[in-house]
Amino acid sequence: MRPMNGEDVTKAVDGCLAVLGPVAGRDWEGVRGSGLEWSCRKTVEHVAGALISYAGQLAGRPQDAYTPFGIEIDEGADNAGLLEVVRTTGALLAAAVRTTPPHVRAFHPYPFRAADREGFAAMGVAEVVLHTRDVAQALGVAYEPADGLAEAVLGWLFPHVQPGPAAWPTLLWATGRGELPGRAPVTEWRWRNNLVLPAERLDLVGLRPAVARDLRLGGDGGLDWLEGGPYEGTREAAGFMVKAYEGGVHRPEFGVFALVRKEDGRAVGGIGFHGVPDEDGRVEIGYDLVEGARGQGYATEAVRALADWALARDDVASLFATVERENTASQAVLGRAGFARVSEDDGSGAEFAYELRR
C-alpha cells in the first residue's frame, strides 16, 4: 500500500525548493502562474498558507469550520525568504501528520466536511506539486514531482478519476492542467476525501483505492484488525471496488467501509455497497465481521448507520441484501435493522432476499 504521510509532505516541499530556489532572483510578482489569475509570488504564498492551515486543522481538530487564522509574510521578504516560509510550513504539516493518531478527523469542506491525517497530507502534497508546476511552467523551468507522489495523490484524493497510463499527466488532466487522449478537458474539479459515517460504537470508514488494493492483495490496508481480520468477504469487496476504480466507474460514497471500533481504533469488519443505485434507486449491501467481534451487535449497528445514510439520499429508494438460508445470525441482523424478507421460503433457493424501503 502507498499511504500518505509526513515524509511525503517533506519530499514534495524539497522538490519545490529545488526547482524554484535557483530562480528566486527573478521577478515573480510580474508573472502570472500558468493557468492562474495569481502571480507566481501570490501562488507560492498560497502554498505556504495552505500548508499552515492544514497543520492547524490537524493540531486543533475543529469539526465545523476552519480555525480562523492565516499567515502573513513579512514586508520586504524576497522570494528566497518566501521559500523558507514554504519550508517551515511544510515541516509543521509533516510534524502534525506524524503526531496525529489514526482516524482522528478535522474539518475540511470537500466533499464530506472532514479529513484524516492521510487526507491532509495528500492535500498538502497536492498544493505543493500542482502549484510548483504552475510557477515553474510560467518561469520556463522544468518540473516533475518525485516518484510516487502523483500516484499517491490520485489514489487518496481522486478516487473518482480513472487511472491513466502515467500518474503525473493524469493528475494534471484531473485538475484542468493538461490533456489526456480520449478524455474530455476538465474545467471544474474537486478532490474527494473519504466518507466516514459515525455510529454509536463504530465508525464506518470509507476505503480509498490504495487501501482497497492492499486488502485485495492480502495486506491489512493500514488498519489495525482484530485477530483473524479482515474476513474474506471484505477482501473480495475490496477487489470489486478496485476493479470499479480502474474502470472509471467507482463512486466513492457507494464503495466499501471498514468498521472501526471507537474505543480502541481496531477494525472489526467491513460493510458496503455492491454498486451504485439502479434507475429505480435500488442498491444492494453486504457486510461481515471478524469472528471475535460477532454476537455484540456491531453488525446491526453498522447496517442501521449505512441504511440511514443511504435512505436520506434522493438517489436511493431501497436497500436489499441476500443471505444464505443457513445464516440465521445474519438474517436476525437484517431483521433488527428494519429489513423485511421479500423472498418466499419454498425450499427452492439457497438464499433469502431482504429489503428496506425509504
Side-chain angles (χ1 to χ4, degrees):
M1 188 182 63
R2 179 69 172 83
M4 298 297 296
N5 54 45
E7 286 66 34
D8 291 314
V9 176
T10 301
K11 187 187 299 184
V13 169
D14 287 347
C16 169
L17 301 180
V19 72
L20 297 186
V23 293
R26 292 171 57 180
D27 176 19
W28 289 8
E29 193 62 61
V31 180
R32 287 199 309 181
S34 177
L36 303 177
E37 296 296 326
W38 297 331
S39 70
C40 289
R41 169 86 180 192
K42 178 65 175 178
T43 302
V44 178
E45 289 179 359
H46 167 79
V47 171
L51 293 173
I52 192 63
S53 175
Y54 296 158
Q57 292 301 96
L58 279 178
R61 304 172 191 173
Q63 299 300 305
D64 300 313
Y66 274 117
T67 302
F69 79 104
I71 189 170
E72 181 177 344
I73 310 300
D74 285 350
E75 186 177 353
D78 59 10
N79 295 335
L82 177 57
L83 289 177
E84 284 303 311
V85 178
V86 172
R87 185 195 305 275
T88 301
T89 54
L92 290 172
L93 176 57
V97 170
R98 285 193 295 268
T99 56
T100 299
H103 310 304
V104 166
R105 298 178 75 83
F107 174 82
H108 188 277
Y110 306 126
F112 303 118
R113 297 181 63 79
D116 57 12
R117 64 183 186 182
E118 289 87 358
F120 280 108
M123 289 187 289
V125 170
E127 294 279 5
V128 173
V129 301
L130 291 171
H131 288 312
T132 299
R133 174 265 181 195
D134 297 338
V135 174
Q137 183 162 308
L139 297 175
V141 295
Y143 169 74
E144 187 166 332
D147 288 345
L149 288 183
E151 181 181 9
V153 169
L154 284 169
W156 288 79
L157 289 182
F158 292 84
H160 53 297
V161 171
Q162 183 179 16
W168 181 230
T170 303
L171 181 58
L172 293 177
W173 169 82
T175 57
R177 289 172 166 82
E179 298 181 354
L180 279 185
R183 301 197 194 186
V186 173
T187 57
E188 295 183 1
W189 61 274
R190 294 286 189 196
W191 53 48
R192 299 176 67 89
N193 282 290
N194 63 330
L195 174 63
V196 174
L197 302 176
E200 183 179 353
R201 296 171 296 166
L202 303 170
D203 281 327
L204 282 60
V205 179
L207 301 187
R208 298 171 170 101
V211 173
R213 184 180 289 114
D214 188 63
L215 288 171
R216 182 191 66 176
L217 296 175
D220 59 14
L223 296 160
D224 180 16
W225 289 91
L226 202 63
E227 185 177 355
Y231 199 67
E232 190 58 36
T234 296
R235 294 196 187 278
E236 183 178 356
F240 287 128
M241 178 181 148
V242 171
K243 288 182 179 179
Y245 169 63
E246 293 175 344
V249 296
H250 175 50
R251 284 178 59 185
E253 64 269 39
F254 288 102
V256 182
F257 299 79
L259 306 182
V260 178
R261 208 159 51 187
K262 293 181 179 180
E263 67 179 36
D264 57 7
R266 306 200 72 183
V268 299
I271 192 169
F273 300 93
H274 290 193
V276 299
D278 63 19
E279 60 185 10
D280 296 319
R282 193 166 183 255
V283 62
E284 184 177 3
I285 68 167
Y287 53 89
D288 63 26
L289 286 178
V290 175
E291 188 171 351
R294 297 173 187 172
Q296 301 174 54
Y298 290 134
T300 301
E301 184 177 320
V303 171
R304 284 173 175 162
L306 192 68
D308 288 346
W309 175 84
L311 293 174
R313 297 173 57 94
D314 292 337
D315 55 352
V316 177
S318 64
L319 306 178
F320 77 98
T322 57
V323 185
E324 295 177 353
R325 295 171 61 90
E326 295 79 13
N327 192 349
T328 56
S330 190
Q331 293 169 32
V333 165
L334 292 172
R336 288 192 294 269
F339 284 69
R341 198 172 78 194
V342 293
S343 58
E344 296 294 332
D345 186 10
D346 58 8
S348 61
E351 296 179 326
F352 290 136
Y354 286 78
E355 185 178 46
L356 176 63
R357 301 191 63 81
R358 186 187 302 161

